[in-house]
Amino acid sequence: MQTVLLHPQLIHFPIVLILVGFAADLASLVFPKIPCLSKTGFYLEILGLIGVFFAFGSGYFFTTVMEGAAGLARERHELFALITMITMTIATAFRIFIVVKNVEEGNFRYVSLFLFFLATVFVSYTGFLGGGLVWDYLIGI
């Protein structure tokens, strides 16, 4: 496998894991009698964080240097990838803390869901910027 293709192949996993995990957590608020939704969101959040580390690393270490407008677009994409990784790390660490301490009910759950929401927004925007690199500058095609 070419290392240039590693990043595009890895990035889709954390995007989907985070989006579906957040959707499961949101659904657990609407359907509180289905406990597996919250657990599913929790496990997908953890897997999404692991995927974020791999996606960020593959983009940072295995993609080519770009200059000009493409370089600026890549810098912006990298910035939001870093913001996504930090936000996802904080959201997941907080979620693990409240699960271990068994305080998932009440305000802690809403804070956790808000942090997960922020990570979902950031990963979506980062993916949008990455798609712009591919389609606007024909990177990786």
Side-chain angles (χ1 to χ4, degrees), residues 86-135:
I86 292 168
T87 306
M88 195 62 191
T89 301
I90 293 168
T92 306
F94 185 74
R95 181 78 178 268
I96 291 171
F97 173 77
I98 66 171
V99 167
V100 167
K101 293 293 184 181
N102 200 21
V103 290
E104 285 186 273
E105 299 304 319
N107 291 335
F108 287 119
R109 182 174 183 183
Y110 295 110
V111 170
S112 174
L113 191 63
F114 178 72
L115 291 170
F116 201 4
F117 170 73
L118 285 178
T120 303
V121 169
F122 287 135
V123 77
S124 299
Y125 188 63
T126 303
F128 173 75
L129 293 174
L133 279 170
V134 172
W135 292 108

Side-chain angles (χ1 to χ4, degrees), residues 63-80 129 132-134 136-139:
T63 56
T64 57
V65 176
M66 299 170 210
E67 296 183 8
L72 292 174
R74 179 189 171 162
E75 286 178 15
R76 188 169 187 182
H77 175 65
E78 284 180 348
L79 172 66
F80 277 93
L129 293 174
L133 279 170
V134 172
D136 296 342
Y137 303 103
L138 302 176
I139 304 300

